Amino acid sequence: MGKIPKSEHNDRRELIHLLHDIQEKHGYIPPEAIFVIARKLRITESEIYGVLTFYKGFSLTPRGKHLVTICMGTACHVRGAPKILDEFIRRLNIEPGKTTEDKQFTLETVNCVGACALGPIAITDGKYQGQLKTMDVAKLVDGIRDGDAEGS
Amino acid sequence: MSKLNVSSLDSLRNKILKKRKKDKTIVTICGGTGCHAYGCMELAEAFKAEVRARKLTNRVEVRTTGCHGFCERGPIVVIQPQEIFYQRVKGSDIDEILDLTILQNKLVDRLLYVDSASGEKIVEEKNVPFYKLQKRIIFGNNGFIDPTDIEDYIALDGYRALAKVLEGMTPEDVIAEIENAGLRGRGGAGFPTGEKWEICRGYKADQKYIICNADEGDPGAYMDRSLLEGNPHSVIEGMIIGAYAIGATEGYIYVRMEYPLAVKNITQALEDARRMGLLGDSILGSKFSLDIHVFKGAGAFVSGEETSLMASIEGRRAFPRQKPPFPAEQGLWGKPTNINNVETWANVPVILSKGAAWFGKIGTRKSKGTKIFSLVGKINNTGLVEVPMGMTLREIIFDIGGGIKDGKKFKAVQTGGPSGGCIPADMLDSPIDFDTLNKAGSMMGSGGMIVMDEDTCMVDVARYFLHFTQEESCGKCVPCRIGNRQLVDILTRITKGEGKAEDLKTLRSLASTIKSGSLCGLGQTAPNPVLTTMRYFEDEYIAHIEKQSCPALVCKDLIVYFIEPDKCVGCLLCIKSCPVDAISGERREVHVIDQELCIKCGACLDVCPAKVGAVSKYTGKKKTAVLKKSVKREKP
């Protein structure tokens, strides 16, 4: 991994900022980063591990090439989000939080993105896909795969 | 730019106002997250490019503003000063808007809002029923402000309240004004804000903190985000005034990581304020100094609880702790800390500039002012609405919200997020304030209002919320960690048709243990969704348990999809849509679902044309009958 970004203080209060920076840069927290942060902030590795596994925003495993996030907010729920999630699970053959074996897709859920007028929503690689129905899922997944095939 | 003081702020305001040509037409494009999802930024860029290409930059200005609230109709474009309201605007509409509206002062009819009740086309934003019944004292400026331009805020009397405070009010005066206004915390519990400040002011310490809680975690609530994104300076101004009143010199805004635009806009707003001398040392030339930092959350719902939030800022796990000592005495790093929610902070400058007496006239006897609700779910006009406290649910849902989607029947409205409850139809006429919602077994929460129709299963909703809280429980208190897990397990069993007669009793007793045995608000309120749904919709629980039937036809294990032979026209649509090839049949012949293969995804129901309506869902005895028939068909 690269250099750890500079920070204002060299103690615990920088921990979450640092973890954000590393997560953003690498898509996950590489194990070797924990050691470096521990030295820099003078806290133990186990404390860092405790904090980073507590928060959903940090991950210890790399994500796939494409990130699919399904909004599971209440408005999306009553508009049928569980059916959309089920279909993504079936199509990608992974549970939420996991990455496909070919490292192409990571499936995640989020508690609400606050774009409730568009529910149910999936966010594929940062793009909002609104008012989804079960049968749109296949199109989305195939669309991403085809896009890759064309690009290669 | 040099740092401002109280008098130069006024002259800057006059300069800005003078600079802005009165004859210029301003095209404002809503830049809220809802409209972002519809592609408003591309629209704004295309608009700007076209204005440049036509050499109209002298006459027309394109601005991206804060959220207008009417998410259902995005992307929203409002032409100022005429206030012409165009909805669902696409890139292909730009030419026509410029040709007709800007150059010839004519309307583009098809982009106007049509009132569903009267069928009339409405031109001005303020006359659209969705806006007409609101009272937008906090949220109203969003549509006029480019959140990345501090001059926009200053032009609309921004930071005038702060100048007034620093010029001639003591901290005690400020606290008295907030107390007299009767402002109560908008974060959920409704604690009187002035009293909170006074308690914190009373503690002597070398350092005090103020915090803005923008960890808006309730699913379905997004008004705080809209304020931070759309009018960040109103929150900052409120915080500076609050810090002055309690004697704090450092502040934090804790924003949820799921709100990247809010983080961006508030960070820039803080920088601008600092640059102009509205933050930092000797604010507006006074003796008062304060700086505010942004802290990005990391995806834990419990960090919305104040003691957890402070633990998170300190770089630890977001674990709540015992109160007392309350944060006002020992908060962040053990110092006196005052924490308020985004909307509460945004109310402060309004109260200081218009006065406690004016504010006190809005709302009910014990709940003053307005409240912003996010009206979502099975509702026609999804969006953010700001109404005076005391408005009835019926007015909010039917008059402003335009009623239920697809002409369905209203069943319940869920308020207060995972801590709240479901309010049934017979309470539609009760006025909404902190106390009536508590009495109904729910709570105000941060203001999410999720509307549910007859197709919503209340047991499933309870299971949904408990699944949520169980996942988000930090695990510190055993009743919350294990009790909520038990609640989910029982509810899941019930939704699968495996409920037992004694389940309702067990749910109630577990709920009361969790409520009394948990340290923080998350655990203390987690069983509310179960308790209120049992209180108002017990018949649905009984149907699931005793008859293995889901009356709303939601719970997968209790329903079957069935193609009505007398309605099916044999169009092949459902066969093509079925992801598991469970439907068979030829063109113009009745299609049949193989119940063994069906995964109940609902794709066939989605595609079957409405006028045909051949796909039905059945539960209970009818479901059994369908299953029996389908077995017979397989064995001729």
Side-chain angles (χ1 to χ4, degrees):
Chain A
M1 56 167 284
K3 259 173 54 185
I4 288 197
K6 266 197 190 151
S7 53
E8 217 176 308
H9 313 277
N10 273 327
D11 60 20
R12 171 188 288 284
R13 75 188 96 166
E14 287 302 317
L15 177 57
I16 290 175
H17 301 304
L18 281 178
L19 290 173
H20 270 307
D21 291 342
I22 296 167
Q23 173 78 33
E24 215 162 278
K25 199 168 158 209
H26 298 271
Y28 76 115
I29 310 287
E32 58 268 30
I34 299 178
F35 174 72
V36 183
I37 301 173
R39 291 264 300 263
K40 185 177 161 69
L41 303 184
R42 280 164 294 197
I43 46 178
T44 65
E45 289 173 58
S46 65
E47 281 176 277
I48 298 171
Y49 185 82
V51 169
L52 83 89
T53 51
F54 182 87
Y55 294 98
K56 277 203 195 114
F58 308 126
S59 155
L60 281 164
T61 47
R63 280 177 173 155
K65 188 174 171 197
H66 302 288
L67 178 63
V68 177
T69 312
I70 317 293
C71 178
M72 298 308 279
T74 322
C76 285
H77 180 86
V78 301
R79 290 185 178 195
K83 281 187 197 162
I84 306 299
L85 178 64
D86 283 350
E87 185 62 5
F88 269 107
I89 292 174
R90 210 183 60 80
R91 289 263 164 204
L92 298 174
N93 201 20
I94 42 169
E95 289 298 313
K98 302 278 185 230
T99 301
T100 51
E101 256 175 43
D102 61 5
K103 303 270 183 279
Q104 288 300 301
F105 289 94
T106 297
L107 181 63
E108 285 182 354
T109 58
V110 57
N111 284 332
C112 182
V113 294
C116 305
L118 287 156
I121 301 168
I123 304 163
T124 56
D125 293 330
K127 248 181 103 181
Y128 286 71
Q129 316 282 353
Q131 281 151 357
L132 290 178
K133 294 200 183 297
T134 313
M135 55 185 301
D136 299 327
V137 173
K139 283 183 225 160
L140 281 176
V141 172
D142 292 346
I144 295 171
R145 285 210 174 110
D146 291 350
D148 278 356
E150 271 167 35
S152 64
Chain B
M1 185 178 298
S2 61
K3 308 241 166 182
L4 294 170
N5 58 39
V6 172
S7 58
S8 66
L9 176 68
D10 267 337
S11 45
L12 173 67
R13 180 174 300 114
N14 293 333
K15 227 163 75 189
I16 296 168
L17 291 173
K18 220 182 262 170
K19 191 172 71 183
R20 300 207 162 154
K21 275 196 186 167
K22 290 245 158 54
D23 53 347
K24 216 170 187 179
T25 305
I26 299 171
V27 178
T28 60
I29 299 175
C30 174
T33 292
C35 283
H36 260 261
Y38 289 117
C40 70
M41 291 322 270
E42 292 81 5
L43 183 73
E45 285 314 310
F47 240 117
K48 281 180 192 161
E50 190 58 29
V51 168
R52 272 196 305 270
R54 293 187 182 210
K55 301 199 168 58
L56 288 170
T57 37
N58 273 339
R59 291 175 54 189
V60 183
E61 192 184 333
V62 181
R63 306 176 70 85
T64 321
T65 65
C67 171
H68 289 237
F70 201 178
C71 310
E72 188 73 37
R73 299 285 165 161
I76 288 169
V77 173
V78 181
I79 316 284
Q80 306 283 12
Q82 303 96 313
E83 272 191 61
I84 300 168
F85 180 78
Y86 288 144
Q87 37 121 42
R88 290 184 179 156
V89 179
K90 290 188 287 293
S92 53
D93 299 321
I94 294 175
D95 271 332
E96 220 170 326
I97 294 176
L98 288 173
D99 283 338
L100 291 177
T101 311
I102 311 282
L103 296 175
Q104 300 175 47
N105 214 6
K106 283 181 186 160
L107 296 169
V108 182
D109 261 10
R110 70 187 148 80
L111 297 176
L112 292 173
Y113 179 82
V114 181
D115 181 7
S116 56
S118 65
E120 263 176 64
K121 287 196 168 142
I122 295 166
V123 179
E124 290 166 329
E125 183 171 35
K126 59 172 188 260
N127 290 329
V128 173
F130 177 80
Y131 293 108
K132 209 173 174 177
L133 299 159
Q134 295 189 42
K135 188 162 182 67
R136 292 160 50 100
I137 61 170
I138 306 300
F139 203 48
N141 278 346
N142 263 24
F144 298 95
I145 286 178
D146 175 349
T148 60
D149 187 353
I150 190 171
E151 291 198 350
D152 273 14
Y153 183 67
I154 292 175
L156 290 169
D157 285 344
Y159 290 107
R160 188 173 247 178
L162 175 66
K164 178 176 162 187
V165 165
L166 292 178
E167 203 176 28
M169 288 175 85
T170 64
E172 289 78 10
D173 293 341
V174 175
I175 292 176
E177 192 75 1
I178 298 293
E179 267 180 354
N180 292 338
L183 178 65
R184 292 171 70 175
R186 302 301 197 233
F191 191 83
T193 306
E195 200 183 318
K196 200 175 191 176
W197 290 9
E198 194 165 10
I199 296 169
C200 192
R201 172 156 189 84
Y203 287 104
K204 298 276 169 274
D206 52 347
Q207 170 91 60
K208 288 183 192 176
Y209 295 101
I210 46 153
I211 296 176
C212 170
N213 185 347
D215 191 54
E216 186 176 45
D218 287 6
Y222 56 102
M223 64 292 298
D224 290 348
R225 184 196 65 194
S226 265
L227 279 171
L228 277 188
E229 281 175 5
N231 195 353
H233 288 286
S234 67
V235 180
I236 297 171
E237 188 178 1
M239 286 179 80
I240 305 173
I241 295 170
Y244 173 77
I246 66 161
T249 50
E250 205 173 342
Y252 286 89
I253 301 177
Y254 190 101
V255 194
R256 214 178 152 222
M257 66 173 284
E258 288 86 348
Y259 290 173
L261 185 62
V263 173
K264 187 171 157 247
N265 286 0
I266 193 75
T267 307
Q268 193 193 326
L270 287 171
E271 271 167 33
D272 292 342
R274 221 171 275 134
R275 185 169 44 84
M276 299 185 81
L278 294 156
L279 267 182
D281 290 336
S282 49
I283 292 174
L284 285 179
S286 72
K287 284 187 190 138
F288 177 63
S289 303
L290 166 79
D291 205 0
I292 300 176
H293 318 280
V294 174
F295 192 98
K296 192 163 86 169
F301 175 71
V302 72
S303 50
E305 196 277 337
E306 55 185 7
T307 60
S308 315
L309 187 147
M310 292 184 296
S312 186
I313 294 181
E314 291 170 4
R316 296 185 282 119
R317 288 179 159 217
F319 272 167
R321 63 152 174 82
Q322 177 81 44
K323 289 186 281 191
F326 287 94
E329 186 187 354
Q330 283 179 35
L332 200 56
W333 290 296
K335 304 290 183 187
T337 302
N338 180 76
I339 174 163
N340 281 118
N341 136 295
V342 175
E343 194 182 335
T344 316
W345 287 123
N347 267 279
V348 171
V350 178
I351 292 171
L352 267 306
S353 53
K354 301 207 171 167
W358 173 85
F359 189 83
K361 280 186 201 137
I362 307 165
T364 61
R365 199 168 65 86
K366 283 185 165 172
S367 303
K368 298 293 184 195
T370 60
K371 177 77 193 90
I372 309 176
F373 291 103
S374 65
L375 198 53
V376 299
K378 304 283 189 75
I379 185 114
N380 276 321
N381 299 337
T382 295
L384 293 176
V385 303
E386 182 179 351
V387 296
M389 298 266 193
M391 193 178 243
T392 66
L393 275 173
R394 188 184 300 282
E395 288 170 293
I396 298 173
I397 293 168
F398 289 91
D399 299 342
I400 296 176
I404 312 302
K405 256 193 172 357
D406 306 323
K408 298 266 182 179
K409 219 174 111 194
F410 171 86
K411 187 188 237 172
V413 59
Q414 206 279 346
T415 67
S419 307
C422 294
I423 299 166
D426 56 19
M427 294 172 81
L428 270 175
D429 290 308
S430 51
I432 292 307
D433 64 17
F434 288 105
D435 310 298
T436 52
L437 284 173
N438 285 346
K439 231 187 271 167
S442 184
M443 64 187 283
M444 182 76 85
S446 55
M449 261 190 191
I450 296 97
V451 178
M452 298 170 180
D453 67 359
E454 55 194 304
D455 294 340
T456 313
C457 168
M458 301 316 282
V459 186
D460 174 66
V461 166
R463 190 197 55 77
Y464 163 82
F465 279 114
L466 264 296
H467 174 74
F468 179 95
T469 30
Q470 175 252 316
E471 281 215 325
E472 294 294 344
S473 168
C474 75
K476 186 169 181 171
C477 310
V478 178
C480 176
R481 182 178 74 230
I482 299 175
N484 283 321
R485 177 59 191 260
Q486 291 304 314
L487 288 181
V488 184
D489 285 351
I490 296 172
L491 290 166
T492 307
R493 230 174 357 85
I494 296 176
T495 57
K496 288 188 164 170
E498 295 159 8
K500 298 180 204 149
E502 68 270 21
D503 278 347
L504 293 183
K505 222 178 109 195
T506 318
L507 286 173
R508 284 199 177 93
S509 106
L510 259 172
S512 90
T513 309
I514 297 167
K515 275 169 101 78
S516 58
S518 303
L519 202 54
C520 83
L522 189 148
Q524 286 161 8
T525 57
N528 283 351
V530 190
L531 292 173
T532 52
T533 47
M534 281 203 291
R535 176 163 153 195
Y536 300 118
F537 302 95
E538 195 174 1
D539 52 326
E540 286 195 37
Y541 280 84
I542 292 171
H544 281 74
I545 294 171
E546 290 179 1
K547 298 179 191 151
Q548 282 77 49
S549 151
C550 174
L553 301 163
V554 170
C555 298
K556 260 190 177 181
D557 294 292
L558 302 183
I559 57 166
V560 284
Y561 284 83
F562 179 67
I563 299 174
E564 307 283 353
D566 52 331
K567 287 187 183 163
C568 178
V569 294
C571 69
L572 301 176
L573 274 179
C574 61
I575 295 183
K576 285 181 195 153
S577 77
C578 180
V580 290
D581 297 325
I583 309 176
S584 56
E586 300 296 323
R587 181 173 285 281
R588 292 201 198 86
E589 277 177 21
V590 171
H591 303 341
V592 181
I593 299 174
D594 183 335
Q595 299 296 345
E596 292 272 309
L597 294 177
C598 176
I599 55 166
K600 296 167 190 173
C601 71
C604 50
L605 181 64
D606 289 340
V607 292
C608 187
K611 59 175 193 272
V612 177
V615 181
S616 308
K617 291 192 275 186
Y618 289 116
T619 186
K621 275 185 190 157
K622 278 188 177 168
K623 173 195 162 198
T624 320
V626 168
L627 285 178
K628 261 188 200 157
K629 249 193 257 168
S630 81
V631 172
K632 266 182 212 156
R633 193 169 291 136
E634 276 162 32
K635 295 180 199 157

